[in-house]
Amino acid sequence: MAPIDEDQWGLRFVPKENGIHRIHIRYNGVHIPESPFSLRIGQDNADPAAVHAYGNGIKDARTGAKTDFIIDTCSAGAGSLAVTIDGPSKVSMDCTEVEEGYKVRYTPLAPGEYFITVKYNGYHIVGSPFKVRCMGTTATLDCNRQLLMAANYFFLQM
């Protein structure tokens, strides 16, 4: 941000991804009129309707056992993928790139209902959120293995 003259300022930023960016401008901690401003960068040609998830991991699970599912993004165009898993416990979760798109593997630690949310460019894909019933007893982990993530989500930019 740089002064242009006595009562005008210029703002310059370089966006690192396409999409809608919101610019918040405050004076003395208060938003100026019409702030935040929305600015579209690039073309939004990603199609969340073309993204599909499949596999046992979006149907059922067992406590303490790894389960997985595939998110097929091949026909969707460039965009960002976000996955969250909410339920009665935190989960150990990782994501790897595979030929079809991405493989999400997670391990629930307590029985109950988990909700898996999959969004592409900020929009739910077909079927999301997925309701997964986890059966079994509460699993215990060796604290030294540190399998629990601080949050049950990941975000990928493609």
Side-chain angles (χ1 to χ4, degrees):
M1 202 157 133
I4 295 174
D5 61 33
E6 188 176 305
D7 60 348
Q8 291 185 345
W9 291 80
L11 172 69
R12 179 175 181 239
F13 76 103
V14 179
K16 297 189 189 241
E17 62 185 63
N18 291 338
I20 297 175
H21 294 262
R22 294 178 57 102
I23 301 170
H24 298 260
I25 301 177
R26 296 183 178 105
Y27 181 74
N28 287 337
V30 178
H31 278 279
I32 67 169
E34 299 182 37
S35 175
F37 299 91
S38 294
L39 180 64
R40 179 181 295 276
I41 302 296
Q43 296 180 354
D44 189 7
N45 60 356
D47 183 8
V51 178
H52 301 283
Y54 59 90
N56 289 336
I58 59 169
K59 298 174 186 167
D60 54 43
R62 298 226 20 105
T63 57
K66 290 181 182 178
T67 187
D68 56 53
F69 60 94
I70 301 290
I71 303 172
D72 184 343
T73 58
C74 291
S75 302
S80 58
L81 176 68
V83 177
T84 61
I85 302 177
D86 296 307
S89 74
K90 290 189 179 291
V91 300
S92 169
M93 181 172 58
D94 63 76
C95 176
T96 55
E97 192 168 359
V98 295
E99 189 174 329
E100 304 89 344
Y102 295 89
K103 181 182 204 176
V104 178
R105 176 172 284 162
Y106 67 98
T107 306
L109 301 177
E113 290 182 346
Y114 289 79
F115 292 90
I116 300 174
T117 301
V118 181
K119 291 184 177 182
Y120 197 70
N121 262 17
Y123 296 97
H124 283 279
I125 70 164
V126 175
S128 175
F130 300 94
K131 181 175 162 182
V132 178
R133 183 170 250 338
C134 180
M135 306 299 283
T137 59
T138 301
T140 59
L141 290 177
D142 177 1
C143 292
N144 294 328
R145 292 178 64 200
Q146 298 181 353
L147 288 176
L148 292 179
M149 296 178 66
N152 297 328
Y153 68 90
F154 69 83
F155 178 79
L156 294 171
Q157 181 66 38
M158 296 178 278

